[in-house]
């Protein structure tokens, strides 16, 4: 499953790499496509190289939420793209911001990175000093960038559904950490989940 998950993101990267190779688009669309291709390669490598966990979430629902939350929004890349300059520029900014945040977060997360809720250790450095789930925040920013590139009522609906699934993943993950990492209780009490002073 780990290999198949990584290959899915590599396939998405290939779709955008082919678009870059055609050189038939404007330079802004090419830059946006390059950012998305790079982001998909990064996700693919992270999925393939993640280490084993010491505990997993029980039941089928956390696994379904992880699968849907991880893979569904990236199918947006297969929809038709906008040729307008402003959405492509905003898309590039969001994807680059999300990718930079993800790299910083993963540097601190290290071997604790996972897709399905798993308990490894409680990371409290870097962005984890302020919020409990900075990787989810980075992902949502990047996905919003993809939505802007392929803007339609359907992609906006998928984005809203994805946010709902991510909220479920957050609750599953927190429950698992509470049960398996004693230090999580004090950490949890002093951090916001996703957005400081909001939630």
């Amino acid at each position: 499953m780990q290999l198949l998950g990584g290959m899915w993101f590599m396939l998405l990267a290939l779709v955008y790499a082919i678009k870059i190779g055609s050189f038939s688009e404007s330079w802004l669309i090419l830059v946006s496509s390059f950012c998305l291709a790079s982001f998909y390669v990064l996700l693919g490598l992270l999925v393939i190289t993640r280490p084993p966990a010491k505990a997993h979430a029980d039941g089928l629902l956390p696994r379904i939420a992880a699968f849907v939350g991880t893979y569904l929004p990236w199918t947006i890349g297969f929809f038709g793209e906008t040729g307008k300059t402003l959405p492509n520029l905003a898309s590039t900014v969001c994807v680059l911001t999300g990718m930079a945040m993800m790299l910083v977060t993963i540097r601190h997360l290290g071997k604790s990175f996972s897709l399905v809720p798993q308990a490894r250790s409680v990371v409290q450095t870097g962005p984890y000093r302020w919020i409990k789930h900075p990787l989810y925040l980075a992902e949502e920013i990047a996905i919003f960038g993809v939505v802007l590139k392929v803007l339609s009522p359907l992609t906006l609906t998928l984005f809203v559904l994805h946010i709902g699934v991510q909220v479920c993943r957050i609750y599953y993950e927190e429950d698992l950490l509470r049960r398996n990492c004693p230090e999580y209780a004090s950490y949890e009490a002093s951090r916001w989940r996703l957005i400081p002073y909001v939630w």
Side-chain angles (χ1 to χ4, degrees), residues 101-171:
M101 288 173 63
M102 182 175 276
L103 288 170
V104 170
T105 301
I106 288 168
R107 180 181 173 277
H108 291 277
L109 192 59
K111 294 182 178 180
S112 295
F113 171 77
S114 66
L115 297 178
V116 176
Q118 297 172 339
R120 289 180 172 85
S121 63
V122 179
V123 178
Q124 302 184 41
T125 60
Y128 289 92
R129 287 178 291 178
W130 303 290
I131 59 175
K132 292 183 282 185
H133 304 282
L135 195 55
Y136 288 131
L137 180 60
E139 186 179 8
E140 291 312 308
I141 291 170
I143 291 171
F144 185 63
V146 178
V147 169
L148 289 174
K149 189 172 177 63
V150 193
L151 196 57
S152 72
L154 177 59
T155 56
L156 284 173
T157 302
L158 284 174
F159 182 65
V160 171
L161 288 173
H162 182 256
I163 290 173
V165 171
Q166 294 293 71
V167 169
C168 292
R169 290 177 75 185
I170 285 171
Y171 284 124

Side-chain angles (χ1 to χ4, degrees), residues 7 9-10 15 25 27 58 62 65 80 84 87 104-105 144 147 152-153 159 161 163-164 169 172 179 184 186 191 193:
M7 288 172 62
F9 287 117
M10 294 303 183
V15 168
E25 308 285 356
W27 69 271
D58 297 326
K84 297 178 180 176
V104 170
T105 301
F144 185 63
V147 169
S152 72
F159 182 65
L161 288 173
I163 290 173
R169 290 177 75 185
Y172 289 135
R179 289 185 283 112
Y184 187 71
S186 60
R191 305 295 191 285
R193 278 193 173 98

Side-chain angles (χ1 to χ4, degrees), residues 42-60:
L42 172 65
L43 287 174
L45 291 174
L46 288 172
V47 169
I48 291 168
T49 60
R50 70 185 190 268
K54 64 181 181 182
H56 298 266
D58 297 326
L60 189 59

